[in-house]
Amino acid sequence: MTIDITTTLPFTVDLLTFYGVNNQNFITLRDIYPSVRLMARGYTIKISGEEDTAKLVNDKIQQLATLCIERGELTPEQIALVCGGETVPAAPTTEAAMYAHGGKPITPRHQAQQDMTTLSQSCDLLFAEGPAGTGKTFWAVALAVKALKNKEIRRIVLCRPAVEAGEKLGFLPGDMKEKIDPYLQPLYDALSTLLPPTKLHEYLENGIIEIAPLAFMRGRTLRDCFVVVDEAQNTTVSQMKMVLTRLGEGGKMIVTGDMSQLDLPNGVTSGLGDAIHRLRNIDGIGVVETNEQQVVRHPLVRKIIKAYKKKINTETNNN
């Protein structure tokens, strides 16, 4: 039976926050429940659809309104969690880690980023492993930039393995820098959010920030540096040992990766998984593990990760 329900939001809710910029939150809600018709006018939302679904949507809208009032925010990611019957992670209580070059405060989006912040203060070596989209790389780079601004270190070194995905570097056009830069672009992207273009260019020109393939780390000792090793699941055991032993006096290192996205040849052991297994109980080394509930990209990314994870588990059980 089709029914109409008119629900009223609490008058203490901020409408712009609830509906989102350009109604993005409301659009997300419509996408999650395509079988019902939603019409909003200020604090009033009309729900039309099958009785059970309409009542469910009504309950979810009121839950989201309460969350919006309590948190002072509402995101598409939180909407997806609430509508999926999952628990929204507790809001981190930390102050802003730092500010983007536009003045926007950058704070942890979930508990794993908060844990990275806390552990990086007590551990000189930190591993952050988990699915794509949980902000591991960005947060590691943010912590490195913060340490540089606070003069806790003198340089930042960002590196990742240039694992070839179907193309050989020798066949790509340009000099060596032009060949490898596409592999390093995610690191440039993170830095461009955190630093003004002129300052970033200055730091890169002066070597205060260095971005390089993992292979360029061999034989070096990185003193007073904050090192971020990204995509570390694609290192071999020997490569991981090499880069970890580059850490010099006054240095810090964060190693990030996703063990579900291995690009290594079959039979080759991942240096990331091996290192976490060997080192996680050593004093001064921290390990943070993220999960799909902490994805900070498009809400669909969480569903995609779950679908692939379910398929992998099914194939494993069948074998």
Side-chain angles (χ1 to χ4, degrees):
M1 182 177 67
T2 301
I3 64 170
D4 294 332
I5 298 176
T6 299
T7 189
T8 302
L9 300 174
F11 289 109
T12 51
V13 73
D14 181 81
L15 292 181
L16 177 60
T17 303
F18 180 83
Y19 288 115
V21 177
N22 296 323
N23 285 324
Q24 184 57 56
N25 290 342
F26 197 61
I27 291 170
T28 299
L29 195 60
R30 281 175 164 167
D31 289 343
I32 294 173
Y33 298 108
S35 64
V36 300
R37 185 182 181 193
L38 296 174
M39 296 176 57
R41 184 181 293 274
Y43 290 93
T44 302
I45 300 176
K46 184 178 179 181
I47 308 163
S48 302
E50 290 297 319
E51 183 175 1
D52 290 345
T53 307
K55 288 181 177 179
L56 172 65
V57 174
N58 181 41
D59 290 341
K60 295 299 183 181
I61 287 174
Q62 292 301 323
Q63 290 177 37
L64 292 169
T66 300
L67 180 66
C68 183
I69 293 169
E70 292 175 349
R71 296 286 184 91
E73 68 168 5
L74 188 64
T75 67
E77 294 81 15
Q78 292 168 342
I79 293 171
L81 285 174
V82 170
C83 293
E86 301 180 40
T87 302
V88 177
T93 57
T94 185
E95 296 180 358
M98 61 176 300
Y99 293 84
H101 66 80
K104 180 182 178 181
I106 298 174
T107 57
R109 297 283 298 274
H110 49 68
Q111 189 58 47
Q113 288 184 339
Q114 174 65 70
D115 292 342
M116 288 177 67
T117 304
T118 303
L119 283 173
S120 69
Q121 296 169 359
S122 58
C123 299
D124 288 338
L125 175 58
L126 176 64
F127 293 94
E129 193 279 327
T134 52
K136 304 179 301 297
T137 299
F138 177 82
W139 200 249
V141 175
L143 292 174
V145 171
K146 181 183 179 183
L148 180 65
K149 289 185 172 182
N150 291 343
K151 302 188 186 307
E152 297 169 13
I153 45 97
R154 293 190 301 172
R155 297 178 60 234
I156 295 174
V157 177
L158 310 176
C159 64
R160 59 182 349 207
V163 174
E164 300 170 42
E167 291 182 302
K168 300 295 183 181
L169 285 176
F171 290 103
L172 295 177
D175 58 20
M176 180 55 68
K177 183 179 187 303
E178 292 172 326
K179 291 176 189 291
I180 63 177
D181 267 358
Y183 292 99
L184 308 175
Q185 191 59 48
L187 301 174
Y188 286 107
D189 291 344
L191 287 170
S192 66
T193 299
L194 298 163
L195 293 167
T198 53
K199 180 61 71 174
L200 176 56
H201 179 74
E202 175 189 331
Y203 283 162
L204 290 169
E205 285 290 308
N206 296 336
I208 295 174
I209 295 179
E210 178 184 353
I211 306 177
L214 187 73
F216 285 30
M217 298 299 106
R218 188 174 299 279
R220 304 176 62 181
T221 300
L222 302 172
R223 298 183 180 88
D224 299 317
C225 285
F226 200 122
V227 184
V228 176
V229 183
D230 189 35
E231 294 290 330
Q233 77 277 1
N234 288 327
T235 62
T236 64
V237 173
S238 61
Q239 286 174 328
M240 178 60 73
K241 178 183 176 183
M242 178 274 291
V243 74
L244 293 180
T245 54
R246 300 308 94 202
L247 191 61
E249 293 181 4
K252 283 184 174 290
M253 182 180 293
I254 298 181
V255 181
T256 70
D258 175 7
M259 288 299 296
S260 70
Q261 294 196 91
L262 285 173
D263 294 320
L264 294 171
N266 289 336
V268 177
T269 301
S270 168
L272 177 61
D274 178 79
I276 291 176
H277 176 72
R278 291 174 186 264
L279 307 176
R280 72 182 308 149
N281 294 321
I282 295 178
D283 208 26
I285 298 177
V287 177
V288 175
E289 294 173 343
T290 65
N291 58 60
E292 61 267 17
Q293 291 188 14
Q294 295 166 333
V295 169
V296 294
R297 293 178 183 166
H298 193 286
L300 283 176
V301 174
R302 186 182 296 109
K303 296 180 180 180
I304 292 168
I305 291 171
K306 282 187 175 182
Y308 275 91
K309 188 175 180 180
K310 182 178 180 180
K311 184 176 188 297
I312 291 171
N313 290 339
T314 300
E315 291 174 347
T316 301
N317 292 334
N318 289 338
N319 292 333

